[in-house]
Amino acid sequence: MKNKKAVVLLSGGLDSTTNMAIAKEMKFDIYALSFRYGQRNSPELEMAKNTALKFGAKEHKIIDINLASFGGSALTDNIDVPKNKGDQIDGSVIPVTYVPARNLVFLSLATAYAEVLGAWDIFIGVNALDYSGYPDCRPEFIAAFQKTANLATKAGLSQKNQIKIHTPLIHLKKSEIIKKGDALGVDYSKTLTCYDPTPEGLACGQCDSCVLRRNGFREAGIPDPTKYVR
Ligand code: ZN
């Protein structure tokens, strides 16, 4: 079978890297898409470049969209990243690390890229479990977006094919994502998930994302290769 093209959103974090490994396993030709959106966590883009190379992406686009120009999130604005929340990471309150409509923006651009490529498949590593309750990570959002993408594009009107949004991680726990990626040969030392890393790319070890990642490795019974500040 001839390879099919897929646009794969890639932040350089644990989830998006595993998501790419799954797209590769499914024998898609990978067209990676990353964003420099004004995030604190910019060392992750260096990880993303390496990951795209490692998985043999046909192309890796890094697009500048400065979401920091209106801020509104601890990841893009002068708001402290919450640390050491302990048991409060339960998804009942949407935390300040939520970036307004980020996945809506990212998926819209991924759809445009897919249409230009003639690709029908888009992969995004969103996860509705073990996460912080972000509204743009929910299955109902993804289903609604897929419908929108097909209504909004010339490609979607062709009726021969339909754009499909793949979310292979959406119902997995963090430890299940790690086990899956480990089995597919993902080197998690080459991923960065921290919301507030040092400029050298060390993880803080205390933000929600670091805590979920640490717990995920522990629960999976796989050594955590992450370099933490402490
Ligand atoms: Zn952190």
Side-chain angles (χ1 to χ4, degrees), residues 7-227:
V7 172
V8 181
L9 288 166
L10 177 67
S11 71
L14 184 152
D15 291 344
S16 74
T17 302
T18 310
N19 179 55
M20 178 166 280
I22 293 169
K24 183 80 184 169
E25 188 200 22
M26 291 169 71
K27 309 262 187 275
F28 281 99
D29 275 348
I30 291 171
Y31 291 78
L33 182 58
S34 304
F35 299 99
R36 193 180 288 109
Y37 63 90
Q39 66 269 53
R40 284 169 188 261
N41 185 358
S42 55
E44 72 179 352
L45 283 173
E46 291 307 311
M47 304 281 193
K49 284 183 198 167
N50 290 333
T51 298
L53 277 177
K54 185 187 167 195
F55 287 100
K58 300 282 179 197
E59 209 167 67
H60 181 202
K61 298 273 187 203
I62 299 179
I63 296 182
D64 284 285
I65 38 165
N66 188 13
L67 299 182
S69 72
F70 41 71
S73 164
L75 303 195
T76 56
D77 211 334
N78 195 19
I79 300 170
D80 286 341
V81 172
K83 305 271 170 79
N84 298 317
K85 278 165 60 186
D87 294 339
Q88 290 168 42
I89 310 172
D90 60 3
S92 61
V93 177
I94 297 169
V96 292
T97 47
Y98 165 69
V99 179
R102 181 175 57 183
N103 286 342
L104 180 61
V105 173
F106 286 2
L107 278 172
S108 297
L109 290 167
T111 302
Y113 184 27
E115 186 163 33
V116 172
L117 290 169
W120 296 100
D121 298 273
I122 296 170
F123 282 74
I124 181 167
V126 291
N127 177 239
L129 290 179
D130 269 11
Y131 217 68
S132 304
Y134 296 149
D136 55 352
C137 291
R138 292 178 300 163
E140 47 270 58
F141 161 66
I142 297 296
F145 183 86
Q146 180 173 293
K147 194 171 174 188
T148 300
N150 282 299
L151 289 170
T153 52
K154 185 176 159 191
L157 291 177
S158 78
Q159 305 202 336
K160 273 193 282 179
N161 279 306
Q162 289 282 288
I163 292 168
K164 181 169 169 54
I165 312 294
H166 297 259
T167 57
L169 312 181
I170 200 157
H171 295 301
L172 299 184
K173 293 164 60 178
K174 192 64 83 189
S175 57
E176 292 170 330
I177 294 170
I178 291 166
K179 281 185 192 165
K180 176 96 190 157
D182 190 57
L184 293 174
V186 172
D187 177 357
Y188 285 114
S189 73
K190 303 283 196 304
T191 65
L192 182 63
T193 325
C194 178
Y195 289 145
D196 194 17
T198 67
E200 299 76 37
L202 294 179
C204 79
Q206 295 172 299
C207 69
D208 292 4
S209 191
C210 280
V211 170
L212 290 170
R213 179 177 170 123
R214 259 185 172 153
N215 291 345
F217 275 102
R218 194 176 306 129
E219 202 179 310
I222 291 172
D224 182 357
T226 311
K227 294 191 186 78

